[in-house]
């Protein structure tokens, strides 16, 4: 029997491609750049599996163009770019990559937090510029991290991992979200549940870890930024639209808050021009999970999910576990 076809929207590490090739005939987009829409629409016609990135828009039109499609394996934990409702109604599995990128993304959030508080990027630019002529007592004074209050918005896996880092730095930890953590988890983290307004008022560092949904779009806007302390910092490693970027620029310019560390942007790769001119922000290009080890783990998990469905099994990490899977089409 002919192998099923899998469409892969970016080149992936060799062990991942090897695994997929054992079970499928692959159509791989060869460039590490967005695949043109018409190529996905073309490829999806024959595909039983789609292995895609968190930046690919997988909407109803595309899902409907794949009569054989049985799985969309997203190489990301966030799946706001996939129309999960449409996939579910068509009996197509959607999977993501939770767990394997937790610590790596928390590390990046922590790196941004430390970098903006301790003015690491400004210091680096200063040394390279050749302007460093003498040591000065008052130069590049930052803000202490240890002993301060860390506010976690969204205490999921990554939020909790950031809270643990905060604990290691001797911080007081507050968190807010839709649900309170079970008592033992709270005790483990040494974290206190508070309302969003209290967290914004009390935290010296506010770190965002909520998934992007219609409810969390502009979760941080002008009103919230006004509630924060003028000495506080905002860290965003989740999804850009969780923050109203224009309001953030006003807040940073106006001194409503002290600074921000941002890995994600509202209209990425476009960045609000005002942000680029500010010194009190540290900006990275959506690299939360970008280590060689973690990107390989993510791609492998996505490939395993895809292969499971090709074999008629249940994938490990579905986001729509309730589906009635589409029957295998006769070939
Ligand atoms: C990255 O942004 C992810 O969702 O995995």
């Amino acid at each position: 029997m002919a192998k099923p076809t899998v469409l892969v929207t970016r080149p992936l590490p060799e062990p991942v491609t090897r695994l997929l090739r054992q079970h499928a005939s692959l159509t791989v987009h060869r460039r590490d750049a967005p695949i043109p829409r018409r190529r996905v629409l073309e490829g999806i016609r024959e595909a039983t599996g789609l292995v895609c990135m968190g930046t690919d828009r997988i909407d109803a039109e595309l899902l409907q163009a794949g009569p054989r499609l049985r799985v969309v394996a997203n190489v990301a934990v966030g799946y706001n770019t996939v129309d999960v409702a449409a996939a579910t109604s068509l009996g197509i599995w959607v999977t993501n990559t939770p767990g394997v990128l937790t610590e790596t993304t928390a590390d990046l959030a922590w790196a941004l937090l430390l970098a903006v508080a301790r003015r690491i990027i400004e210091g680096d630019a200063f040394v390279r510029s050749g302007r460093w002529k003498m040591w000065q007592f008052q130069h590049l004074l930052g803000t202490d991290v240890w002993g301060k209050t860390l506010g976690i918005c969204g205490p999921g896996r990554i939020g909790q991992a950031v809270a643990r880092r905060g604990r290691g730095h001797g911080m007081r930890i507050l968190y807010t979200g839709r649900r309170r953590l079970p008592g033992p988890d709270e005790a483990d983290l040494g974290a206190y549940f508070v309302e969003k307004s209290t967290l914004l008022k009390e935290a010296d560092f506010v770190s965002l870890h909520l998934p992007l949904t219609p409810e969390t779009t502009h979760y941080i806007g002008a009103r919230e930024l006004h509630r924060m302390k003028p000495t506080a910092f905002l860290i965003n490693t989740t999804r850009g639209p969780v923050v109203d970027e224009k309001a953030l620029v006003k807040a940073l310019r106006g001194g409503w808050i002290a600074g921000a560390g941002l890995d994600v942007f509202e209209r990425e790769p476009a960045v609000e021009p005002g942000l680029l001119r500010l010194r009190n922000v540290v900006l990275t290009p959506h690299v939360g999970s970008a280590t060689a080890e973690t990107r390989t783990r993510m791609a492998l998990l996505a490939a395993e999910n895809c292969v499971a469905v090709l074999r008629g099994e249940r994938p490990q990490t579905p986001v729509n576990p309730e589906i009635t899977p589409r029957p295998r089409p006769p070939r």
Side-chain angles (χ1 to χ4, degrees), residues 75-79 97 101 237-239 264 286 289 298:
V75 187
V77 68
Y79 49 86
T97 59
L101 48 73
T237 52
T238 176
R239 286 291 183 269
V264 286
H286 199 149
S289 63
M298 290 164 70

